[in-house]
Amino acid sequence: MDVQSRPVLELAGLHKSFGGVDVLKGVDLAVAPGELVFLIGPSGSGKSTLLRCCNRLEEPDDGAVIVDGENILSPGCDLNRVRQKIGMVFQAFNLYPHMTALGNVALALRKVQGMAKDAAEAKARAALARVGLADKAGSYPAQLSGGQQQRVAIARALALEPKIVLFDEPTSALDPELVGSVLAVMRELKIGGMTMVVVSHELAFARDAADRVVFMDGGRIVEQGTPASVFGAPREARTRDFVARLAERG
Amino acid sequence: MQDGWARFAFAYLNPEVAAEWGPKILDGAFVTIQLGLATIAAGLALGMALAMLRASAPRWVQMAIVVFVDIFRAWPPLVVIIVLYYAFPYVDLPMGAFTATWLALSFVLASFAEEIWWAGLQAVPKGQWEAARSTGLSHFQALVWVAIPQAVRMTIPPLLNRTIAIVKGTALGSVVALPEILGQATSAMSLAGNPTPLTLAALGYLAIFLPVVILGRWIERRFAWKR
């Protein structure tokens, strides 16, 4: 396989159980460069666990997680180095409350990448500008709206120039009127060619931004395809039920 | 009644006794301040080191830290002072009254500080660690740059109260003849045959610790922040 078409992220036979409960029962998934993969499924289906296995916030029990050609589960893998290639955006934003927006974005640049203060802050400002928050660099998280906080969190991930960004229900904690601003940033990223895996219930967003929709249930991938095929003509009964319920909810 | 007040004033508010023994109390005040500052510095530094170690070390080290801090939280500080001062010379570790009091209070303060900061670290949401680790920070970097600053801020009020309570224990040094304020006052009292030095001691402690209490209140307000 040549470098161009090599998947940015590849999961093979991924297993994970918590206290005897199998949450992932052998998941295979390859994400191509620039692809936006949308992960849906009922709660408890393993979506979040899958995402969290991709940067080893959860330790998979078995299988392979290959990021940019490197199996990050291999014993010699420098996890802190490889994690810089994998941005992650959390449902609860998880901004550091004692630091400004700028400080949040610059922290890893300085401490992990060893950049000088000025250079790190310049890069952090650029990342904040990318999410439309250039004027909020000096604000603390508590002074920002939920949508703004989540965009700062996205900037924090972007500043490290990751190969892929994982979004774990990025809009679920937001008031409805703030969801749009975050989705707009994600759309911009997609246009800019960022590879993304998104766990979310924002169907409308999935319809027009996702390249592929993956439906999970019971720790397995049940069905996947284009948004039109998965939402419009699901093959599996479980997918049909879930999509119908999602559609009802709006 | 009139008579009672006069006798009280002669005993406790005697200007001649105060003038004669005031300088001695002042000497004691300097010892108290030195000991207090040394205790705060050593106690908080050791407490932070223990909390960080407990957050990073293997299980048996964690257990050892818990045993250490539980023992020093259980022992009355006075007992620790007396043991260090009277017993340690037998194992060829003789120490002066200042060192014994300083060590004892530092261990006690370190133990309480460790426990308070540990509780603060436990209260830092797991998501903070995950965010930090997901950007490539090591466990130690996440601890230093993300978790500890939050734990420290959260625990300022209990830590200040505990620190003030323990540093006031410098007065216990008088038991091992440390010439701090209370020690000076009690010896002056017996030499003068008048308890006015005690009044001076009370005023001396106020002069030292009231500003600390007020400073503590200011720090609490200054560093309170909304999540």
Side-chain angles (χ1 to χ4, degrees):
Chain A
M1 204 182 286
D2 64 55
V3 177
Q4 284 306 307
S5 60
R6 184 176 78 186
V8 177
L9 171 71
E10 199 174 355
L11 309 177
L14 206 61
H15 281 82
K16 175 69 183 173
S17 63
F18 292 107
V21 179
D22 292 334
V23 180
L24 297 178
K25 301 173 187 167
V27 175
D28 303 295
L29 183 71
V31 182
E35 195 181 16
L36 195 166
V37 172
F38 210 87
L39 218 50
I40 58 171
S43 80
S45 60
K47 318 177 293 270
S48 284
T49 304
L50 178 72
L51 216 54
R52 294 161 58 83
C53 282
C54 295
N55 64 354
R56 281 175 66 184
L57 282 185
E58 302 292 352
E59 207 62 54
D61 297 328
D62 195 17
V65 177
I66 297 157
V67 176
D68 198 25
E70 183 179 0
N71 186 356
I72 70 167
L73 301 185
S74 69
C77 172
D78 178 353
L79 195 54
N80 295 329
R81 179 181 54 76
V82 96
R83 274 177 171 159
Q84 297 168 54
K85 296 185 190 177
I86 315 164
M88 189 157 203
V89 175
F90 301 86
Q91 179 176 357
F93 327 138
N94 299 353
L95 292 184
Y96 316 130
H98 58 298
M99 291 182 191
T100 61
L102 189 69
N104 268 272
V105 180
L107 181 68
L109 294 174
R110 294 195 60 196
K111 303 303 171 190
V112 181
Q113 302 196 334
M115 291 176 70
K117 190 166 189 278
D118 289 351
E121 290 190 347
K123 199 167 180 189
R125 279 181 203 283
L128 284 171
R130 227 174 135 186
V131 299
L133 291 174
D135 56 330
K136 297 292 183 188
S139 300
Y140 285 87
Q143 299 166 323
L144 300 173
S145 74
Q148 290 169 332
Q149 289 188 52
Q150 192 59 298
R151 281 146 68 199
V152 173
I154 294 173
R156 178 171 65 184
L158 290 182
L160 296 166
E161 298 177 15
K163 302 276 184 189
I164 183 169
V165 182
L166 313 171
F167 292 84
D168 191 2
E169 306 211 20
T171 57
S172 299
L174 294 176
D175 291 334
E177 76 271 20
L178 302 175
V179 169
S181 67
V182 171
L183 293 182
V185 167
M186 291 168 66
R187 224 173 243 123
E188 285 294 317
L189 283 184
K190 163 67 180 153
I191 292 166
M194 180 59 77
T195 311
M196 300 153 79
V197 180
V198 182
V199 170
S200 165
H201 300 293
E202 299 291 340
L203 277 200
F205 177 75
R207 274 206 187 85
D208 63 46
D211 296 298
R212 181 158 43 125
V213 174
V214 173
F215 173 68
M216 283 185 75
D217 193 18
R220 287 195 177 89
I221 292 177
V222 174
E223 180 167 358
Q224 54 180 313
T226 62
S229 69
V230 174
F231 293 137
R235 292 188 308 273
E236 302 282 334
R238 277 186 290 177
T239 318
R240 263 197 301 279
D241 288 350
F242 181 76
V243 169
R245 278 207 308 280
L246 266 194
E248 270 168 38
R249 210 199 57 167
Chain B
M1 190 61 202
Q2 196 66 30
D3 207 31
W5 269 114
R7 271 186 284 138
F8 173 83
F10 177 82
Y12 286 95
L13 306 169
N14 193 314
E16 281 117 66
V17 177
E20 189 182 351
W21 298 98
K24 205 175 163 194
I25 306 291
L26 197 63
D27 291 344
F30 284 114
V31 175
T32 295
I33 290 170
Q34 281 174 20
L35 180 58
L37 291 177
T39 299
I40 291 174
L44 294 186
L46 180 61
M48 178 54 78
L50 290 174
M52 289 174 69
L53 198 59
R54 186 169 168 192
S56 319
R59 188 141 207 97
W60 67 270
V61 177
Q62 295 186 17
M63 290 307 299
I65 291 170
V66 170
V67 169
F68 176 89
V69 304
D70 280 1
I71 287 175
F72 276 98
R73 291 190 308 151
W75 270 334
L78 184 55
V79 171
V80 185
I81 292 169
I82 290 173
V83 167
L84 286 177
Y85 186 72
Y86 289 107
F88 271 54
Y90 288 104
V91 289
D92 287 329
L93 269 175
M95 56 184 87
F98 188 95
T99 309
T101 312
W102 169 67
L103 271 184
L105 294 180
S106 296
F107 285 154
V108 173
L109 177 55
S111 299
F112 278 100
E114 188 281 334
E115 205 57 20
I116 288 168
W117 279 326
W118 176 253
L121 282 173
Q122 300 307 103
V124 172
K126 204 165 144 256
Q128 292 288 311
W129 285 92
E130 292 182 345
R133 297 305 306 274
S134 77
T135 57
L137 266 72
S138 67
H139 173 88
F140 186 73
Q141 286 175 320
L143 178 68
V144 169
W145 301 108
V146 175
I148 283 178
Q150 297 182 54
V152 166
R153 283 205 191 187
M154 267 188 269
T155 53
I156 282 174
L159 186 76
L160 278 172
N161 284 328
R162 185 55 75 173
T163 303
I164 290 167
I166 291 169
V167 171
K168 280 193 297 193
T170 49
L172 298 170
S174 61
V175 173
V176 290
L178 180 71
E180 52 69 63
I181 294 183
L182 185 63
Q184 295 288 63
T186 46
S187 72
M189 188 170 70
S190 49
L191 290 169
N194 179 291
T196 296
L198 272 187
T199 308
L200 294 179
L203 291 173
Y205 280 119
L206 265 190
I208 293 171
F209 287 106
L210 198 56
V212 176
V213 171
I214 291 167
L215 177 73
R217 182 166 294 152
W218 179 81
I219 292 173
E220 263 174 48
R221 231 179 279 138
R222 168 72 181 71
F223 288 100
W225 96 110
K226 304 183 292 274
R227 288 197 69 87

